[in-house]
Amino acid sequence: MTITKKSLIMLTLLIVTLLGVAFSMNAQQRVNVKTLFDLLPSDAFFLMPSDDPAELEKHIKVCDYRYGYLQLEFEDQSYWEMCYWNLNNGDKLIAVSSYITHSFFLYSDGEVTFTTEFGIDEILNNMYSSFAMNPYDNWFRLHVPRHGTSIYLSINEIESQIYKWQNEMFVRIDKYPTQNCTHQQLVEGFANALGTADADYCLQYLLPAYVSEQCMNVFEGNKEQFICDLIAGEDGQSFIKPQKLSDIKSATYRYTPDDGFANHIILIELNDGSSYTYYPSLESVEVLEMFKNGEYGEFITRIPYITGGVG
């Protein structure tokens, strides 16, 4: 009888423990983007009209529970946004960004605290060591993802840094630009990126100011649809574009100096057998030395970017 009672007590304790774990897991799963917004500390709302989520709630423009994205919009058209990534242990990594600042927070056991883990320290180091930085006046814009999981960081609208979320770390993709890039390197690199069907790789070759305005605002951060629209063209009879990047069978760079229209083009063939020529519109950004008094010095480098299509 004693052994039976002990077994019963141990079984009861095991059930209680399992119920506690299940309750904790369910509580974590019930957390959504609005829950996290309500828990954010005042530091998350730096330079906002208020640092109280309850007071800022009236400014919510987008609350996307499915993709874990929330956006505030204010009377002056400025906005603040946030998203989160699920961690394997049930915690949530939160990113918040506004027109002037950004930061990361960790949700764990019902509390939200500031964090620089998960590769965030490296993002900060890369940002401040960028060739686009100057000693006078710098402007950063970190676009948190509404679609996908990657971060797009624009530095003075001259350089972009893109970070993929891999194995619970932010990992930078770094193929373009390099010092003194040529138009051939730009367009050929973009053609190769199209062949990967990866929108993040494609974004490296586009002017950061253009990406911020068109992709992140007009296309609401839907990078794949933005790229597909960007490379649209005609096959000689009708308007044509891929519906998704995986529709592209091949993207081949061609140098055509005798074309009379464009020297650098991309021949795009789709999986359905249709094909057309994409004529990228190019724009170069000059990076000049800048002094603390705001004056410019010597020329440093020139970086060409794609800003759409010609024709």
Side-chain angles (χ1 to χ4, degrees), residues 126-145:
N126 290 340
M127 183 175 71
Y128 287 112
S129 62
S130 166
F131 66 82
M133 288 286 290
N134 64 72
Y136 176 66
D137 183 28
N138 293 287
W139 183 87
F140 312 105
R141 185 60 210 251
L142 185 143
H143 294 280
V144 305

Side-chain angles (χ1 to χ4, degrees), residues 18-301:
L18 291 174
L19 287 174
V21 171
F23 177 80
S24 176
M25 291 179 64
N26 288 333
Q28 289 278 47
Q29 290 172 356
R30 285 197 297 269
V31 172
N32 56 48
V33 69
K34 182 58 168 58
T35 308
L36 297 174
F37 172 75
D38 293 334
L39 291 172
L40 285 173
S42 59
D43 291 349
F45 304 107
F46 180 65
L47 294 181
M48 294 294 101
S50 170
D51 59 8
D52 183 356
E55 293 183 12
L56 291 169
E57 189 168 320
K58 62 184 177 182
H59 296 288
I60 294 178
K61 179 185 179 184
V62 177
C63 186
D64 191 330
Y65 292 102
R66 180 181 179 185
Y67 293 108
Y69 175 88
L70 186 146
Q71 183 187 104
L72 307 177
E73 185 176 76
F74 303 98
E75 288 75 10
D76 61 358
Q77 303 302 307
S78 64
Y79 64 93
W80 174 101
E81 57 185 351
M82 67 171 287
C83 74
Y84 69 91
W85 294 259
N86 291 310
L87 303 178
N88 291 334
N89 64 356
D91 293 347
K92 319 283 186 186
L93 177 63
I94 308 165
V96 304
S97 177
S98 70
Y99 59 93
I100 197 171
T101 187
H102 59 265
S103 51
F104 293 83
F105 299 88
L106 180 66
Y107 168 85
S108 181
D109 295 326
E111 296 185 355
V112 174
T113 55
F114 178 79
T115 184
T116 57
E117 298 180 359
F118 310 99
I120 297 166
D121 262 332
E122 187 172 352
I123 293 177
L124 297 175
N125 290 336
N126 290 340
M127 183 175 71
Y128 287 112
S129 62
S130 166
F131 66 82
M133 288 286 290
N134 64 72
Y136 176 66
D137 183 28
N138 293 287
W139 183 87
F140 312 105
R141 185 60 210 251
L142 185 143
H143 294 280
V144 305
R146 180 174 179 180
H147 302 272
T149 59
S150 301
I151 285 174
Y152 184 90
L153 174 64
S154 172
I155 304 173
N156 290 329
E157 299 188 331
I158 295 174
E159 185 196 18
S160 65
Q161 295 181 0
I162 303 171
Y163 296 87
K164 283 184 170 292
W165 180 245
Q166 298 177 343
N167 300 319
E168 301 196 345
M169 290 285 292
F170 290 115
V171 179
R172 182 179 177 185
I173 57 174
D174 190 14
K175 300 292 184 184
Y176 185 88
T178 57
Q179 290 288 342
N180 300 312
C181 293
T182 64
H183 285 179
Q184 178 175 342
Q185 289 174 309
L186 165 66
V187 182
E188 187 171 19
F190 184 62
N192 292 334
L194 289 173
T196 69
D198 189 316
D200 290 318
Y201 280 93
C202 296
L203 288 182
Q204 297 175 95
Y205 301 89
L206 309 183
L207 182 68
Y210 183 73
V211 173
S212 291
E213 176 59 33
Q214 294 296 315
C215 179
M216 302 305 173
N217 290 338
V218 176
F219 282 82
E220 298 180 338
N222 192 326
K223 294 174 283 188
E224 182 168 26
Q225 289 305 305
F226 166 67
I227 297 295
C228 288
D229 193 78
L230 177 90
I231 61 173
E234 294 185 6
D235 61 0
Q237 297 178 337
S238 60
F239 178 80
I240 184 172
K241 74 171 184 178
Q243 296 304 307
K244 53 186 183 296
L245 291 177
S246 59
D247 289 342
I248 299 174
K249 181 178 180 180
S250 66
T252 307
Y253 167 77
R254 289 286 186 272
Y255 177 57
T256 56
D258 300 324
D259 192 307
F261 182 60
N263 291 337
H264 306 278
I265 65 174
I266 299 176
L267 305 177
I268 297 177
E269 182 181 0
L270 303 183
N271 291 324
D272 63 7
S274 59
S275 61
Y276 65 97
T277 301
Y278 168 58
Y279 300 90
S281 176
L282 309 180
E283 180 177 325
S284 292
V285 173
E286 289 190 349
V287 181
L288 303 177
E289 183 181 12
M290 181 182 283
F291 303 108
K292 290 184 178 180
N293 60 3
E295 294 183 357
Y296 290 98
E298 297 295 322
F299 169 83
I300 298 176
T301 187

